[in-house]
Amino acid sequence: MTLLSLAVEHFRCTRRAQLRFGRGLNVLHGPNDLGKSSLAEAIRAALLLQASSRDYEGFLDWTGSGDPHVELVFESEPKRIWRIRKTFGSSSSVFLDESPNGVDFHVEARGRDVDGRLSDLLRWGLAPPGGGKGRPKGMPITFLSTALLAQQDQIAAIQDQALSKDSDDSGKKRLIEALQAVAEDTLFKAVLIRVQARVHEEF
């Protein structure tokens, strides 16, 4: 998954902001209280939190001027681009749009169906609404969501999170697929052979 852009309105201290992400590493920097953590939380909310959840109260605009709104665009694979549009609060709404080019979008899902489609797309160990061991209330936490979207002051939380706590086994399956792909990589194999040879030399 590759994040492409983020737009937020009335989200905590951020009245309005738009970001375009470049390929590779992106760094948000600036003085304290600029809204960097709020933008990171907006990404988590777009991907993981149901728009109807009461946890939205933590996102309310500090000036009280509007309902929190997030638009996140990401690419799941080449020519499959998705846009999540979520408005939290009294007038909550949620849409998932798909596009082959990032320009022409069509509505793929709306309402409660969006969270089910996101669970399928992400495969982060989060059951769709009504499925698995039961979707957690509020902001859900899974092994992969903790590893990939850790809060700034909770980086070590991944050490306390286990795959067995996930509400379904999609995260475990995705990790197995990733490890199998790494094991088949020719560079990885070459490095492993070199390391094993050095271990034999030493011991």
Side-chain angles (χ1 to χ4, degrees), residues 1 20 22 24 30 45 50 63 69 74 76 81 89 94 101 104 106 111 113 117 157 170 173 175:
M1 180 178 112
R20 286 207 166 275
Q50 291 180 272
T63 65
H69 178 76
F74 68 93
S76 61
I81 297 172
V94 55
N101 55 21
D104 304 308
H106 68 272
D113 293 339
R117 290 290 287 123
S170 60
K173 289 179 178 177
L175 281 174

Side-chain angles (χ1 to χ4, degrees), residues 18-172:
Q18 288 186 315
L19 295 174
R20 286 207 166 275
F21 300 104
R23 295 286 178 177
L25 179 66
N26 290 262
V27 178
L28 295 178
H29 63 91
N32 291 337
D33 297 324
L34 187 64
K36 303 182 297 296
S37 297
S38 293
L39 294 177
E41 188 67 14
I43 294 173
R44 278 189 286 274
L47 293 173
L48 301 172
L49 187 66
Q50 291 180 272
S52 59
S53 170
R54 291 224 173 251
D55 276 24
Y56 82 86
E57 293 172 356
F59 307 150
L60 289 175
D61 188 328
W62 293 357
T63 65
S65 58
D67 288 329
H69 178 76
V70 181
E71 287 189 18
L72 179 67
V73 180
F74 68 93
E75 187 176 46
S76 61
E77 55 192 89
K79 296 188 178 178
R80 289 205 77 186
I81 297 172
W82 304 89
R83 179 177 62 194
I84 308 162
R85 296 179 284 148
K86 283 188 179 181
T87 301
F88 301 91
S90 56
S91 59
S92 66
S93 65
V94 55
F95 297 90
L96 179 65
D97 310 321
E98 185 179 7
S99 170
N101 55 21
V103 177
D104 304 308
F105 285 91
H106 68 272
V107 176
E108 173 69 17
R110 66 185 71 216
R112 185 183 172 108
D113 293 339
V114 170
D115 296 298
R117 290 290 287 123
L118 284 173
S119 295
D120 292 340
L121 284 169
L122 297 175
R123 294 188 297 142
W124 282 2
L126 181 60
K133 300 175 192 174
R135 188 182 179 97
K137 302 293 184 187
M139 182 68 82
I141 297 173
T142 67
F143 180 85
L144 284 176
S145 72
T146 304
L148 300 173
L149 294 175
Q151 294 187 1
Q152 184 177 348
D153 59 346
Q154 297 178 4
I155 301 299
I158 188 61
Q159 297 172 352
D160 301 321
Q161 194 66 32
L163 284 166
S164 60
K165 296 179 182 177
D166 288 357
S167 56
D168 77 8
D169 62 356
S170 60
K172 181 179 180 180

